[in-house]
């Protein structure tokens, strides 16, 4: 609490989102701004939608901080988290949404495709959580939501690299939840199914029809539907939930 704040005027909560410029991460940024958070977000290279995000922040009377930071680069992520905390004053919530796919049958999968997916998705999650946990401990609590995938729960042909990274995120988060609970920090996973974003835009018609056929609700989900679940898990309304995997998949897992 700063000198000007009184118990009647609590600090504005701060959320940081990796991969917040597009897709699910972008919807999460928008959700948090609407919910009254100041928000920091990073992207790898493309500051897509930055003006629109700024406009939205202004509309909600909130502060937003966006920057390029490759989550696979430990130093870059650490510097980004430090810059976000300096600009926004604290850190209450971390959401790791930065992720990539490089689908291929294992027999033809290159080492580069294996490593880039593991480096971005799994090591990227480690890098961001590692940089966030200590400030959260010092602050006396926090909440982490890591993006996995139903591929990490059930596996998916041609996604051995992606599924391994996303299954790793589940084990990582469950362990972290046990480790940091005593500091008032919760850590949970959201595992989406087929969500309409740039990541799934490139799917062929045949692959899309096959994927849709497996979804009891019969449609792809929206990024906003995932963001609603992320916002719930991040909030105090989920105060007794930690170490859980919430599938948002139209019923695939039932
Ligand atoms: P998008 O491809 O739409 O957006 C990806 C975002 O992550 C962009 O902001 C991108 O920035 C950023 N990003 C990618 N690589 C890096 C990196 N190395 N460092 C920093 N930022 C990076 O993805 P989605 O929104 O669809 O996916 C978000 C998360 O949800 C991912 O973890 C994905 O695996 C997971 N997910 C998605 C599903 C879906 O159906 N869409 C299903 C299940 C899980 P830039 O534009 O600069 O590259």
């Amino acid at each position: 609490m700063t000198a000007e704040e009184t118990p009647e005027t609590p600090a504005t909560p701060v959320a940081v989102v990796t991969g917040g410029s597009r897709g699910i991460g972008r919807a999460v940024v928008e959700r948090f701004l609407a919910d009254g958070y100041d928000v920091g977000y990073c992207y790898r290279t493309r500051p897509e939608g930055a003006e629109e995000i700024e406009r939205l922040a202004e509309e909600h009377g909130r502060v937003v901080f966006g920057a390029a930071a490759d989550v696979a680069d430990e130093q870059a992520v650490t510097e980004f988290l430090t810059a976000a905390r300096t600009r926004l004053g604290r850190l209450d919530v971390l959401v790791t949404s930065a992720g990539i796919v490089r689908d291929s049958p294992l027999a033809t999968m290159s080492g580069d495709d294996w490593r880039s997916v593991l480096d971005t998705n799994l090591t990227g999650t480690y890098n961001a959580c590692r940089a966030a946990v200590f400030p959260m401990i010092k602050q006396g609590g926090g909440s982490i939501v890591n993006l996995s995938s139903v591929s990490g729960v059930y596996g998916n042909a041609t996604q051995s690299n992606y599924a391994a990274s996303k299954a790793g995120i589940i084990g990582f988060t469950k362990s972290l939840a046990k480790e940091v609970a005593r500091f008032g920090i919760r850590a949970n996973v959201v595992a989406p199914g087929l969500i309409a974003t740039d990541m799934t835009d490139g799917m062929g018609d045949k692959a899309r029809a096959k994927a849709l056929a497996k979804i009891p609700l019969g449609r792809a989900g929206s990024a906003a539907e995932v963001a609603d679940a992320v916002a719930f898990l991040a909030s105090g309304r989920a105060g007794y939930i930690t170490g859980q995997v919430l599938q948002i998949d139209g019923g695939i897992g039932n």
Side-chain angles (χ1 to χ4, degrees):
M1 200 176 280
T2 65
E4 302 82 52
E5 287 161 2
T6 68
E8 289 76 41
T9 58
T12 301
V14 170
V16 168
V17 183
T18 69
S21 60
R22 292 188 286 121
I24 293 169
R26 165 78 173 271
V28 170
V29 168
E30 292 180 0
R31 176 79 263 158
F32 281 136
L33 289 173
D35 286 353
Y37 291 74
D38 291 339
V39 180
Y41 70 96
C42 77
Y43 43 86
R44 187 166 46 98
T45 47
R46 291 186 273 172
E48 200 165 300
E51 277 173 23
E52 176 61 15
I53 293 172
E54 284 281 356
R55 194 197 56 72
L56 217 94
E58 213 164 290
E59 198 179 296
H60 290 294
R62 301 270 60 95
V63 182
V64 73
F65 169 78
D70 182 347
V71 293
D73 178 340
E74 185 172 5
Q75 192 181 335
V77 183
T78 306
E79 285 173 4
F80 160 67
L81 259 295
T82 303
R85 282 196 299 117
T86 303
R87 175 76 180 86
L88 305 172
R90 49 189 290 122
L91 177 62
D92 300 284
V93 172
L94 171 71
V95 178
T96 62
S97 190
I100 57 168
V101 284
R102 296 283 184 274
D103 295 355
S104 156
L106 183 65
T108 54
M109 184 179 289
S110 70
D112 275 353
D113 284 348
W114 172 264
R115 281 185 292 274
S116 60
V117 168
L118 268 289
D119 287 353
T120 299
N121 297 3
L122 184 54
T123 305
T125 300
Y126 155 80
N127 285 337
C129 290
R130 167 82 173 69
V133 154
F134 192 57
M136 284 182 177
I137 291 173
K138 282 215 299 193
Q139 204 178 276
S143 178
I144 294 169
V145 183
N146 292 327
L147 267 291
S148 177
S149 161
V150 291
S151 293
V153 179
Y154 303 112
N156 196 21
T158 75
Q159 287 200 318
S160 58
N161 51 355
Y162 184 73
S165 73
K166 294 298 186 179
I169 287 171
I170 293 173
F172 170 83
T173 309
K174 283 174 179 270
S175 302
L176 181 62
K178 292 193 164 147
E179 199 175 300
V180 296
R182 70 196 175 97
F183 300 112
I185 302 171
R186 297 180 300 104
N188 290 290
V189 169
V190 161
L194 181 66
I195 308 299
T197 68
D198 294 347
M199 186 176 273
T200 50
D201 261 5
M203 271 174 107
D205 289 348
K206 232 171 118 183
R208 181 177 301 278
K210 214 172 137 189
L212 283 171
K214 290 185 195 152
I215 303 173
L217 284 179
R219 63 171 177 88
S222 70
E225 286 172 312
V226 180
D228 281 342
V230 170
F232 166 69
L233 284 174
S235 76
R237 287 171 293 153
Y240 201 50
I241 302 176
T242 196
Q244 297 303 303
V245 180
L246 179 56
Q247 290 182 217
I248 301 163
D249 61 6
I252 291 174
N254 294 329

